[in-house]
Amino acid sequence: MSAKPFMNSDVADADMKEMNMRPKLTATNAAVMIAFLIAGLVSGCVSWQADWDRSVSEVADTQTAPLLQKAGKLSLTAGNRPDLLATIAAYEAVLAVDASDFTALTNLGHLYILLGTAYTTERSEKIRHYQTARRHNERAMYTNVAFRTRMDDGQKPWEACGVLTRREVPAMFYWVTAVFYHFKEGMRLPEKVVNVKWMSWCGEFLQRIETIDPNWGGGGVQFSLAIYYGALPKSKGGDRQLSDSYLARSVEIGPDWLLNRWGRAKYFHVRDRNRSGFEKDLNWVIAQDIDRAGGVFAWKVFIQRDAREMLAAVDQYF
């Protein structure tokens, strides 16, 4: 798995930097970058449509258990693109047996995000990965009977999320992350302007998670809320002070998680022109034992790699 109104001309510069075109960053550009973190949609004006099979089949656990075990084992060493693709294929094999397997759906719901941001360069391909991640998470939520009833009655996911439970927190969180990443890496400025409503829909999920399981994900919930309140303009509920407060809490809740300090350096320290804080946080990230740090292995590999690359290019950020 962002500050200041994000509808301005500096978005183009931030997008260029994220696609490795590496322009010299300004404080304004850094603020814009925060608005589009992580954080799956489509190009142009986006409207949500359900695309899952409405029949939730009954499948014996014994049929999927060996497949889940294989996929879980692969996920423990998925530190590069081939291994990540193998892990994704293993979880997809579970869905071929049981299309509503919650574990497979939620794992695919974040592995496709990682595939898009860490191992994909083409914008159109990134979009497909973020869309796929979002849809897997929607299918995971759909396994909740109360949520399914509301969806079948015509509600949208963010309208129906009030009945979701702690079990569905990963699906909600990864849904938001897929949307954030699509905004950040998949949309050009006009598309971001048209589709800003998706940010408010993310807020519905984040507020639900904060209500039922705020400490899930080692501070990831608070980090996403920092992005959310920082990204929105004041007229839409944006709040810089609240954003900064959530950012601080994310590190307090997850002191051994890489995401929070990496994200603080990458987006907030750059925004604030805090070079020393940037270097301190990224050096901390790199120094951590990846096996002891909190989080999913494949994401930790990516975060440490990205931290090294940012430190090597520190003069381009300040």
Side-chain angles (χ1 to χ4, degrees), residues 71-92:
K73 185 176 180 179
L74 288 171
S75 71
L76 298 177
T77 57
N80 54 52
R81 180 182 172 88
D83 289 346
L84 180 64
L85 290 173
T87 304
I88 287 173
Y91 279 118
E92 293 284 10

Side-chain angles (χ1 to χ4, degrees), residues 2-268:
S2 333
K4 292 187 179 180
F6 46 72
M7 304 307 168
N8 63 53
S9 60
D10 289 321
V11 171
D13 290 335
D15 287 346
M16 285 172 62
K17 188 272 166 188
E18 289 301 324
M19 295 307 291
N20 295 318
M21 296 182 72
R22 303 284 186 186
K24 184 77 173 180
L25 296 183
T26 66
T28 302
N29 289 346
V32 173
M33 286 170 58
I34 294 175
F36 305 115
L37 173 68
I38 309 187
L41 310 175
V42 301
S43 297
C45 185
V46 176
S47 61
W48 180 89
Q49 291 183 334
D51 63 353
W52 51 64
D53 182 354
R54 300 257 170 175
S55 62
V56 179
S57 58
E58 295 292 334
V59 178
D61 290 340
T62 54
Q63 295 182 31
T64 57
L67 297 173
L68 283 170
Q69 184 178 15
K70 176 184 177 181
K73 185 176 180 179
L74 288 171
S75 71
L76 298 177
T77 57
N80 54 52
R81 180 182 172 88
D83 289 346
L84 180 64
L85 290 173
T87 304
I88 287 173
Y91 279 118
E92 293 284 10
V94 176
L95 296 186
V97 176
D98 179 4
S100 62
D101 187 276
F102 186 81
T103 300
L105 288 168
T106 52
N107 275 285
L108 289 167
H110 72 83
L111 293 175
Y112 271 106
I113 299 170
L114 182 60
L115 178 62
T117 192
Y119 300 108
T120 303
T121 57
E122 293 294 328
R123 191 172 73 96
S124 60
E125 188 177 356
K126 283 177 176 286
I127 290 172
R128 287 196 298 272
H129 293 324
Y130 301 145
Q131 287 175 327
T132 299
R134 177 173 55 82
R135 289 165 181 162
H136 279 309
N137 290 311
E138 288 169 356
R139 292 187 177 104
M141 295 180 221
Y142 193 69
T143 63
N144 175 297
V145 175
F147 181 83
R148 182 162 67 248
T149 298
R150 290 192 175 192
M151 295 300 300
D152 290 346
D153 287 340
Q155 292 188 20
K156 301 295 189 292
W158 49 92
E159 296 170 338
C161 71
V163 299
L164 293 172
T165 68
R166 285 186 176 182
R167 172 180 175 269
E168 291 82 46
V169 165
M172 288 189 278
F173 182 83
Y174 298 140
W175 189 96
V176 169
T177 303
V179 171
F180 281 179
Y181 264 113
H182 186 99
F183 248 87
K184 172 179 169 287
E185 297 183 351
M187 291 186 186
R188 298 187 175 97
L189 177 58
E191 297 163 333
K192 290 170 180 173
V193 174
V194 171
N195 296 313
V196 65
K197 60 186 176 182
W198 281 81
M199 294 298 290
S200 63
W201 296 343
C202 288
E204 296 294 328
F205 283 112
L206 289 173
Q207 289 162 16
R208 178 59 181 166
I209 298 172
E210 188 178 29
T211 298
I212 60 179
D213 197 1
N215 293 331
W216 183 88
V221 177
Q222 289 70 30
F223 184 75
S224 292
L225 283 163
I227 297 296
Y228 173 74
Y229 283 110
L232 291 174
K234 288 184 178 180
S235 62
K236 299 293 184 180
D239 188 324
R240 168 70 178 270
Q241 185 175 356
L242 187 57
S243 173
D244 290 346
S245 176
Y246 273 119
L247 180 64
R249 286 171 59 190
S250 73
V251 177
E252 293 172 1
I253 292 172
D256 62 338
W257 285 63
L258 304 184
L259 167 68
N260 307 316
R261 295 175 194 263
W262 165 75
R264 183 170 67 180
K266 187 178 181 74
Y267 299 97
F268 295 91

